[in-house]
């Protein structure tokens, strides 16, 4: 049985583009902040991902080298994967291999460090201690659903002017202001 499920009010886990996946994996490797995964358990003790499904999916895709065209995907789609999905998966894989490296390479660096640069081995070791923070929602399905909508619809994006100021905050004209 699946350990984690998605509730019916959760969106599909395919909204991240290649850039978002690469940035997320960089965050794991470089030990940047990653928001907690938010889970809820129903009365039957089934665990549902309320927030963080894209993060979990991206990590699992990297670990399994399956960006929509691998063994897991083939089994899920009864060996009927569209050409578009295959092309996107290959683009994703190539970009990750170029910028980050495969998960398999990181695991190999732990087993055979002499084959890799010291910095790569250091990052490989740090992956071994990576974990997500987990937050639990307490309550019934209506609380879980309300939490999902609060998390995903009530964020306040930084507007263009604020972003420009924040990104330039250490430049002379901003410091003078």
């Amino acid at each position: 049985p699946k350990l984690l499920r998605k509730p019916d009010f959760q969106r599909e886990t395919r909204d991240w583009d290649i850039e978002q996946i690469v940035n997320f994996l960089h965050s794991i490797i470089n030990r940047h902040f990653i928001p907690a995964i938010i889970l809820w358990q129903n009365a039957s003790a089934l665990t549902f991902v309320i927030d963080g499904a894209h993060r979990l999916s991206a990590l699992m895709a990297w670990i399994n080298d399956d960006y929509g065209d691998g063994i897991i995907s083939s089994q899920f789609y009864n060996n009927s994967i569209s050409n578009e999905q295959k092309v996107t998966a290959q683009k994703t894989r190539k970009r990750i291999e170029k910028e980050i490296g495969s998960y398999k390479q990181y695991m190999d660096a732990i087993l055979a460090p002499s084959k890799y640069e010291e910095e790569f081995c250091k990052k490989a070791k740090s992956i071994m201690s990576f974990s997500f923070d987990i937050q639990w929602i307490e309550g019934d399905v209506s609380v879980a659903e309300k939490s999902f909508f609060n998390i995903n619809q009530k964020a306040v994006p930084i507007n263009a002017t604020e972003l420009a100021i924040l990104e330039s905050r250490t430049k002379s004209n901003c410091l003078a202001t």
Side-chain angles (χ1 to χ4, degrees):
K2 291 181 182 179
L3 295 176
L4 297 175
R5 299 165 183 262
K6 287 176 43 179
D8 61 359
F9 53 78
Q10 173 71 278
R11 58 189 163 192
E12 286 191 42
T13 312
R14 61 178 184 169
D15 290 339
W16 278 15
D17 60 20
I18 296 170
E19 186 73 25
Q20 289 169 297
I21 294 168
V22 169
N23 286 340
F24 173 70
L25 293 174
H26 272 298
S27 294
I28 289 175
I29 292 164
N30 295 309
R31 306 296 283 207
H32 296 163
F33 173 76
I34 296 171
I37 302 295
I38 301 175
L39 303 175
W40 169 73
Q41 199 167 60
N42 71 5
S44 300
L46 297 174
T47 302
F48 293 84
V49 179
I50 303 303
D51 190 59
H54 283 90
R55 283 171 265 152
L56 289 170
S57 292
L59 178 61
M60 294 309 298
W62 184 51
I63 289 170
N64 293 299
D65 190 33
D66 187 343
Y67 301 98
D69 65 343
I71 294 169
I72 296 169
S73 295
S74 290
Q75 289 173 346
F76 182 80
Y77 292 111
N78 289 329
N79 296 319
S80 181
I81 297 172
S82 71
N83 285 333
E84 180 184 3
Q85 186 168 326
K86 288 177 186 177
V87 168
T88 301
Q90 285 299 322
K91 283 182 185 177
T92 304
R93 184 176 290 103
K94 284 179 184 175
R95 174 104 181 261
I96 287 170
E97 287 175 358
K98 179 182 175 191
E99 290 188 33
I100 295 170
S102 70
Y103 181 79
K104 186 176 180 180
Q105 287 175 302
Y106 284 88
M107 296 304 101
D108 188 48
I110 291 168
L111 298 173
S114 62
K115 292 170 34 179
Y116 299 89
E117 293 182 18
E118 184 179 340
E119 185 63 25
F120 190 85
C121 292
K122 184 178 175 184
K123 289 179 179 182
K125 288 177 186 174
S126 79
I127 290 171
M128 296 305 293
S129 63
F130 170 78
S131 65
F132 286 109
D133 288 332
I134 304 291
Q135 292 181 326
W136 288 92
I137 293 174
E138 301 293 332
D140 64 13
V141 68
S142 66
V143 174
E145 184 175 12
K146 184 174 182 180
S147 297
F148 169 80
F149 287 114
N150 283 340
I151 292 164
N152 289 290
Q153 289 187 330
K154 299 207 175 167
V156 178
I158 300 171
N159 71 39
T161 302
E162 291 172 315
L163 185 60
I165 291 168
L166 291 170
E167 288 178 338
S168 304
R169 70 187 178 284
T170 59
K171 295 192 169 132
S172 58
N173 57 344
C174 283
L175 292 172
T177 303

Coordinates of all heavy atoms in Angstrom, one line a residue, residues 10 30 33 38 42 63 65 70 98 127 144 152 156 162:
Q10 N -6.3 18.1 -3.5 CA -4.9 18.5 -3.8 C -4.8 18.5 -5.3 O -5.3 17.7 -6.0 CB -3.9 17.5 -3.2 CG -2.5 17.6 -3.6 CD -1.8 18.8 -3.0 OE1 -1.9 19.8 -3.6 NE2 -1.1 18.6 -1.9
N30 N 22.9 21.9 -1.4 CA 23.6 23.0 -0.8 C 23.0 23.4 0.6 O 23.4 24.4 1.2 CB 23.6 24.3 -1.7 CG 24.3 24.0 -3.0 OD1 25.5 23.6 -2.9 ND2 23.7 24.2 -4.1
F33 N 17.4 26.4 2.9 CA 16.1 26.2 3.6 C 15.1 25.6 2.7 O 14.9 26.0 1.5 CB 15.5 27.6 4.1 CG 14.1 27.5 4.6 CD1 13.9 27.0 5.9 CD2 13.0 27.9 3.9 CE1 12.6 26.8 6.4 CE2 11.8 27.8 4.3 CZ 11.5 27.3 5.6
I38 N 3.8 19.1 5.0 CA 2.6 19.2 5.9 C 1.7 18.0 5.6 O 1.3 17.7 4.4 CB 1.9 20.5 5.7 CG1 2.8 21.6 6.1 CG2 0.6 20.5 6.6 CD1 2.2 23.0 5.9
N42 N -6.0 10.6 8.4 CA -7.5 10.5 8.6 C -7.8 9.4 9.6 O -6.9 8.8 10.2 CB -8.2 10.2 7.3 CG -7.9 8.8 6.7 OD1 -7.3 7.9 7.3 ND2 -8.4 8.5 5.5
I63 N 16.0 10.6 -7.1 CA 16.5 9.3 -6.5 C 16.3 8.2 -7.5 O 17.2 7.3 -7.6 CB 15.8 9.1 -5.2 CG1 16.3 10.1 -4.1 CG2 16.0 7.6 -4.7 CD1 15.6 10.1 -2.8
D65 N 15.7 8.3 -10.8 CA 16.0 8.7 -12.1 C 14.8 8.4 -13.0 O 14.8 7.9 -14.1 CB 17.2 7.9 -12.7 CG 17.7 8.4 -14.0 OD1 17.6 9.6 -14.3 OD2 18.1 7.6 -14.9
G70 N 10.7 6.7 -16.6 CA 11.4 5.6 -16.1 C 10.6 4.4 -15.8 O 9.4 4.3 -16.2
K98 N 23.8 17.7 -16.0 CA 24.7 18.8 -16.3 C 25.0 19.7 -15.1 O 26.2 20.0 -14.8 CB 24.2 19.6 -17.5 CG 25.1 20.7 -17.9 CD 24.5 21.5 -19.0 CE 25.4 22.8 -19.3 NZ 24.7 23.7 -20.2
I127 N 24.0 14.8 1.8 CA 22.7 14.3 1.3 C 22.2 13.2 2.3 O 21.1 13.0 2.5 CB 22.8 13.8 -0.1 CG1 22.9 15.0 -1.1 CG2 21.5 13.0 -0.5 CD1 23.2 14.6 -2.5
A144 N -8.1 19.8 7.2 CA -7.0 19.5 6.3 C -7.3 20.3 5.0 O -6.3 20.9 4.4 CB -6.9 18.0 6.0
N152 N -2.0 27.5 0.0 CA -1.8 27.7 -1.4 C -2.5 28.9 -2.0 O -2.2 29.2 -3.2 CB -2.2 26.4 -2.1 CG -1.2 25.3 -1.8 OD1 -0.1 25.4 -2.3 ND2 -1.6 24.3 -1.1
V156 N 1.4 36.0 0.0 CA 1.4 37.4 -0.6 C 2.7 37.4 -1.4 O 3.8 37.5 -0.8 CB 1.4 38.5 0.5 CG1 1.5 39.8 -0.1 CG2 0.1 38.3 1.3
E162 N 9.2 45.9 -4.8 CA 9.8 45.4 -3.6 C 10.9 44.5 -3.9 O 12.0 44.5 -3.2 CB 8.7 44.6 -2.8 CG 7.6 45.5 -2.1 CD 6.5 44.6 -1.5 OE1 6.1 43.6 -2.2 OE2 6.1 44.9 -0.4

